[in-house]
Amino acid sequence: MARMRGFLRSGVREPAPEHSMDPRSAESAPYRPTVIDNALYLDGQRIGTPASLADAFDGLKNTPGSMAWIGLYRPKDWELAKLAAEFGLHELALEDAIVGHQRPKADRYGEMLFVVLRAATYLDDVEEVAFGEVHVFVGNNFVVTVRHAESPDLGAVRRRMESDPDLLRQGPQAVLYAILDAVVDGYAPVVAGLQKDIEEIEVQVFGGDPTVSRRVYELFGEVIEFQRATSPLLPMIDGFIAGASKYGVNEELQSYLRDVADHAITVSERVAGFRQLLQNILMINSTLVAQEQTRASYAQSEEVKKISAWAAILFAPTLVGTIYGMNFDHMPETHWAFGYPFAIVLMAAVCVILYVVFKRRDWL
């Protein structure tokens, strides 16, 4: 608390402990202007594009009934300090916006609403899901969006709202709805991409592809991350609808919110189904791998049995020949006329008997 208050007074922020968990790097990201768009609206129409944040603050004060919509991308600390001082942004919400990597949530601080949303994009070339994050500050006459990634495309949201003055006339709550709608609609291609990946994995699993286990594991991680991004939306939107009358949200906008909730439910159900399906695929793949190992072990055991059987058969004549090859003078068979034929017959008989025994036991 004291650290954030000092930041608001001086505009210089001490390093937050959460930054140790923050993998973002300004050096690794391509340069983009911090203020993506800065506009004033009155009665659903854009009436100005202030050149700076200070001009936006002045225009908002000098134009009663107007609304400011400020879009920021990786903002500097001093810019957030100005916003916090001008719009009365709560220090806890401000710290979340600075650090990033927050779970989807909606927190209300007095008259201000702070919303965190996780956008998702399916990358066809690498067959992976990329996640973005947007923080939305909603007040009585302003909307401030803070992004740390390229997605979601809030420029498209702004163009949609400016083309629909009736919806934009409803103020900051309508802008929040449009951002929610864009984020949830952006989940549809991700669901389709994940569905395609799962179908390909099923083919690989039943085709005996030995590399499929790694792909299943990686996809399972993406589905879990996707579920973390989508599951908090349902209670969040339900809370917006429940508090609609208290905060002056009209019936039409409530209908739009219910439509977004329906889409979010569909996505959430599909993602939950994907997770269960991948768990089943992992189990089936483990079973198939175990069966393959069992078959390999059985085949190896059969080969060992054959080798052992032939070794025993060949050992019998070797044993007889070794005994009769000993040079003792007092061996009865040494000077026997039938000694040699008897030894040959004995070795052959033992080999045949052993062969028949092993054959009957399926060792040969």
Side-chain angles (χ1 to χ4, degrees):
M1 291 281 187
R3 173 173 53 80
M4 286 304 300
R5 283 193 290 269
F7 159 58
L8 293 178
R9 287 194 302 269
S10 64
V12 178
R13 180 172 58 88
E14 298 175 7
E18 294 87 344
H19 274 292
S20 61
M21 303 182 292
D22 184 6
R24 292 181 288 115
S25 171
E27 289 77 10
S28 62
Y31 173 76
R32 289 188 59 182
T34 299
V35 181
I36 302 302
D37 204 345
N38 184 11
L40 292 177
Y41 298 90
L42 181 64
D43 197 29
Q45 299 291 335
R46 185 169 185 148
I47 60 173
T49 305
S52 65
L53 292 177
D55 292 341
F57 302 151
D58 292 339
L60 191 62
K61 292 177 181 178
N62 298 329
T63 310
S66 62
M67 177 187 73
W69 184 354
I70 302 172
L72 302 176
Y73 176 81
R74 295 181 182 270
K76 303 294 189 296
D77 290 351
W78 64 267
E79 292 172 315
L80 289 174
K82 277 192 173 184
L83 289 171
E86 186 67 30
F87 293 132
L89 306 183
H90 195 277
E91 56 193 25
L92 295 179
L94 186 63
E95 183 173 357
D96 288 344
I98 293 171
V99 176
H101 298 281
Q102 305 295 318
R103 65 176 181 83
K105 61 179 181 178
D107 295 329
R108 187 170 290 278
Y109 302 97
E111 295 297 320
M112 189 205 75
L113 179 65
F114 175 65
V115 179
V116 178
L117 300 173
R118 296 288 305 279
T121 305
Y122 185 79
L123 306 177
D124 289 304
D125 53 343
V126 292
E127 295 185 336
E128 293 179 356
V129 181
F131 294 93
E133 186 174 331
V134 58
H135 300 176
V136 187
F137 296 89
V138 182
N140 292 328
N141 61 348
F142 70 88
V143 176
V144 177
T145 60
V146 178
R147 287 188 297 134
H148 295 291
E150 295 298 320
S151 62
D153 182 7
L154 297 184
V157 176
R158 192 183 291 266
R159 290 190 295 272
R160 173 199 171 187
M161 293 296 288
E162 291 179 351
S163 66
D164 189 353
D166 290 336
L167 182 59
L168 187 55
R169 189 178 292 116
Q170 298 181 39
Q173 296 289 345
V175 175
L176 175 60
Y177 148 74
I179 295 174
L180 267 171
D181 189 43
V183 170
V184 174
D185 285 349
Y187 292 152
V190 179
V191 170
L194 291 175
Q195 178 68 52
K196 180 183 176 183
D197 288 345
I198 291 175
E199 291 172 356
E200 292 176 354
I201 283 174
E202 289 175 337
V203 174
Q204 287 181 281
V205 167
F206 292 106
D209 189 341
T211 64
V212 70
S213 296
R214 180 183 181 89
R215 189 179 181 190
V216 174
Y217 180 80
E218 292 174 347
L219 186 61
F220 192 72
E222 291 182 0
V223 169
I224 290 176
E225 187 69 17
F226 193 30
Q227 191 172 39
R228 288 173 180 167
T230 57
S231 58
L233 290 179
L234 299 179
M236 182 190 303
I237 298 173
D238 288 343
F240 293 158
I241 296 173
S245 58
K246 179 179 179 180
Y247 295 100
V249 180
N250 63 30
E251 187 62 35
E252 180 183 10
L253 194 53
Q254 291 182 49
S255 299
Y256 290 153
L257 285 172
R258 281 191 287 269
D259 181 65
V260 175
D262 290 340
H263 294 172
I265 290 172
T266 301
V267 172
S268 182
E269 290 175 347
R270 293 291 302 276
V271 175
F274 289 161
R275 183 169 181 174
Q276 183 61 49
L277 188 57
L278 284 171
Q279 286 178 331
N280 294 340
I281 290 175
L282 278 173
M283 188 179 302
I284 292 172
N285 185 59
S286 299
T287 302
L288 292 177
V289 169
Q291 289 177 350
E292 185 62 29
Q293 291 175 342
T294 301
R295 282 194 294 267
S297 178
Y298 177 77
Q300 185 178 18
S301 175
E302 290 298 308
E303 293 297 323
V304 170
K305 284 164 47 176
K306 290 180 181 180
I307 294 172
S308 301
W310 283 113
I313 291 172
L314 295 175
F315 175 73
T318 302
L319 178 63
V320 175
T322 300
I323 293 174
Y324 278 89
M326 288 186 290
N327 297 320
F328 292 112
D329 292 335
H330 301 289
M331 288 182 65
E333 296 85 357
T334 302
H335 303 287
W336 185 30
F338 298 101
Y340 175 74
F342 176 77
I344 296 296
V345 170
L346 178 61
M347 288 187 286
V350 172
C351 289
V352 170
I353 291 171
L354 288 175
Y355 179 84
V356 172
V357 171
F358 288 134
K359 191 69 174 178
R360 287 182 176 178
R361 295 186 178 183
D362 292 328
W363 279 44
L364 291 173

